[in-house]
């Protein structure tokens, strides 16, 4: 295929996608605005998260923080609490940091160049391209998960899509489509819509796809084999022991995870990963000594919860504990608090901890 033919093909494909999108586009709240703050928020929430999950969070977040100034001035705990359950909490922390930078350094005005947007915490090339396209009408390409899948099938890409040279080819294809489109913003929306509704990861709906006749993978019968991804190593599984410690006033001890790393800034019950040769009770005793500088006796188990993260799985085991000696100090945490059972709902916890929270609201401390 000559370069000229490829350009003509991009032109046809771009306009076919735009025409299809205008007839079938879902009515999503962030598609009713070109306000940078609201589109940026939606793009952050939609990363690795389905639309149906995002919509109620999007509305609640905007109700609490209707402007970038409101978000910037909010305490991080409040931001994380509203994000609770949405997962990938670095997105919330970065959103908060970026809002503060926009307010402090830019007078509350969202930047208008690709480079400036990419310079904000948590914003990569694809998100920046989407914002530039949807807000300012720029001819900037996007390459989120849905678009990668669509383009890899359209090109019948035989190599893994996360290989740098393949990623580069996908970016080129995305740019070619945007350059050929009469409306770059609608083109980008149509690519994401196609990936979300028809060009699905499994069982793609090729027979109703508006561009299947020009999809090389469909023509070659390889659409179920694309995109190609690298084989992942077996997902590890960890057992976590957590201690539920109460004081004489029946308050429980919680601690805040360090800001950096997994689940940064969230609150949890102290504990950690079981080591080889340890019982879970020994894990809890060791972890509470290392994290809080206290010695405890471990009593009855109150909850056992399984949870999957992107790269590993856990089973969380929670035990009642009694303080034997020492005064708790946040040796390995950002902060710690003694709180009543009723106050627990004010703090943002990882999803796995929620089963423990429900047990605590129903249980009475039984001692050891």
């Amino acid at each position: 295929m000559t370069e000229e033919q490829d350009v003509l093909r991009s032109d046809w494909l771009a306009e076919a996608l735009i025409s299809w999108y205008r007839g079938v586009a879902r009515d999503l709240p962030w598609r009713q605005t070109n306000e940078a703050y609201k589109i940026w928020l939606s793009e952050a929430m939609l990363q690795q998260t389905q639309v149906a999950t995002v919509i109620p969070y999007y509305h609640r977040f905007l109700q609490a923080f209707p402007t970038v100034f409101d978000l910037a001035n909010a305490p991080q705990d409040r931001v994380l609490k509203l994000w609770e359950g949405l997962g990938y909490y670095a997105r919330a922390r970065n959103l908060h940091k970026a809002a503060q930078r926009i307010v402090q350094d830019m007078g509350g005005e969202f930047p208008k160049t690709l480079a400036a947007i990419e310079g904000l915490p948590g914003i990569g090339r694809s998100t920046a391209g989407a914002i530039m396209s949807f807000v300012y009408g720029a001819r900037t390409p996007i390459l989120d998960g849905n678009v990668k899948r669509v383009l890899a099938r359209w090109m019948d890409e035989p190599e893994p899509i996360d290989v740098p040279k393949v990623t580069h080819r996908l970016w080129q294809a995305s740019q070619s489509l945007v350059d050929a489109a009469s409306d770059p913003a609608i083109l980008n929306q149509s690519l994401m819509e196609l990936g979300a509704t028809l060009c699905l990861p499994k069982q793609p709906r090729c027979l109703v796809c508006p561009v299947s006749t020009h999809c090389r993978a469909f023509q070659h019968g390889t659409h179920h084999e694309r995109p190609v991804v690298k084989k992942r190593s077996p997902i590890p599984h960890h057992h976590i022991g957590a201690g539920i410690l109460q004081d004489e006033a029946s308050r429980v001890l919680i601690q805040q995870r360090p800001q950096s790393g997994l689940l940064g800034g969230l609150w949890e019950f102290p504990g950690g990963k079981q080591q080889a040769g340890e019982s879970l009770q020994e894990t809890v005793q060791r972890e509470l000594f290392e994290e809080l500088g206290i010695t405890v006796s471990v009593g009855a188990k109150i909850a056992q919860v399984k949870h999957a993260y992107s790269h590993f799985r856990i089973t969380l085991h929670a035990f009642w504990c009694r303080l034997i000696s020492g005064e708790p100090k946040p040796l390995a945490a950002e902060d710690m608090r003694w709180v009543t059972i009723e106050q627990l709902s004010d703090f943002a916890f990882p999803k796995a901890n929620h089963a423990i929270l429900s047990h605590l609201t129903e249980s009475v401390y039984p001692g050891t």
Side-chain angles (χ1 to χ4, degrees), residues 50 145-146 149-150 153 192 194-206 222-229:
Q50 295 182 346
N146 282 328
R149 183 169 60 256
V150 168
R153 284 179 174 150
M192 293 192 294
L194 190 71
T197 61
L198 299 183
C199 197
L200 304 171
K202 298 179 180 178
Q203 298 182 335
R205 301 173 62 194
C206 300
T222 57
H223 46 290
H224 289 291
E225 302 167 19
R226 307 288 185 257
V228 177
V229 295

Side-chain angles (χ1 to χ4, degrees), residues 125 141-143 148 151 155 157 159-176:
R125 181 180 176 183
I142 59 173
L143 199 64
K148 283 183 180 179
L151 295 179
M155 298 163 64
E157 177 55 61
E159 297 187 71
I161 58 174
D162 46 358
V163 172
K165 65 178 180 180
V166 176
T167 301
H168 178 69
R169 289 200 289 266
L170 296 175
W171 273 114
Q172 287 182 314
S174 186
Q175 183 68 68
S176 176

Side-chain angles (χ1 to χ4, degrees), residues 288-352:
L288 268 63
F289 181 78
E290 293 175 354
E291 295 183 353
L292 300 167
I294 58 175
T295 301
V296 300
S297 63
V298 180
K301 181 187 287 191
I302 66 166
Q304 179 172 315
V305 186
K306 292 184 177 181
H307 186 68
Y309 294 94
S310 56
H311 300 297
F312 64 95
R313 297 186 178 97
I314 68 166
T315 301
L316 177 62
H317 309 262
F319 296 85
W320 288 113
C321 293
R322 184 182 296 279
L323 180 64
I324 301 299
S325 64
E327 182 67 27
K329 302 179 185 64
L331 302 178
E334 191 82 10
D335 195 5
M336 56 160 273
R337 305 269 181 90
W338 289 100
V339 298
T340 65
I341 300 297
E342 294 74 21
Q343 290 172 327
L344 287 170
S345 61
D346 297 333
F347 297 84
F349 283 84
K351 190 173 183 179

Side-chain angles (χ1 to χ4, degrees), residues 44-56:
M45 288 186 165
L46 287 166
Q47 292 170 17
Q48 299 176 294
T49 307
Q50 295 182 346
V51 165
T53 302
V54 166
I55 289 175

Side-chain angles (χ1 to χ4, degrees), residues 219-273:
Q219 292 172 347
H220 299 160
T222 57
H223 46 290
H224 289 291
E225 302 167 19
R226 307 288 185 257
V228 177
V229 295
K230 288 182 180 179
K231 290 185 178 180
R232 294 184 177 181
S233 301
I235 298 177
H237 179 261
H238 306 298
H239 288 272
I240 309 296
I244 313 301
L245 192 67
Q246 283 191 312
D247 65 6
E248 294 178 353
S250 295
R251 298 178 303 174
V252 295
L253 185 66
I254 59 174
Q255 63 182 16
Q256 188 179 33
R257 294 179 65 89
Q259 293 295 329
S260 60
L262 180 70
L263 306 174
L266 297 187
W267 293 82
E268 65 179 2
F269 299 101
K273 190 188 304 181

Side-chain angles (χ1 to χ4, degrees), residues 68-69 72 96-111 116 119-121:
V68 69
F69 294 95
H96 191 220
K97 291 175 185 174
Q100 291 174 331
R101 185 176 299 179
I102 291 170
V103 169
Q104 294 168 6
D105 300 342
M106 306 172 190
E109 185 174 351
F110 200 87
L120 293 173

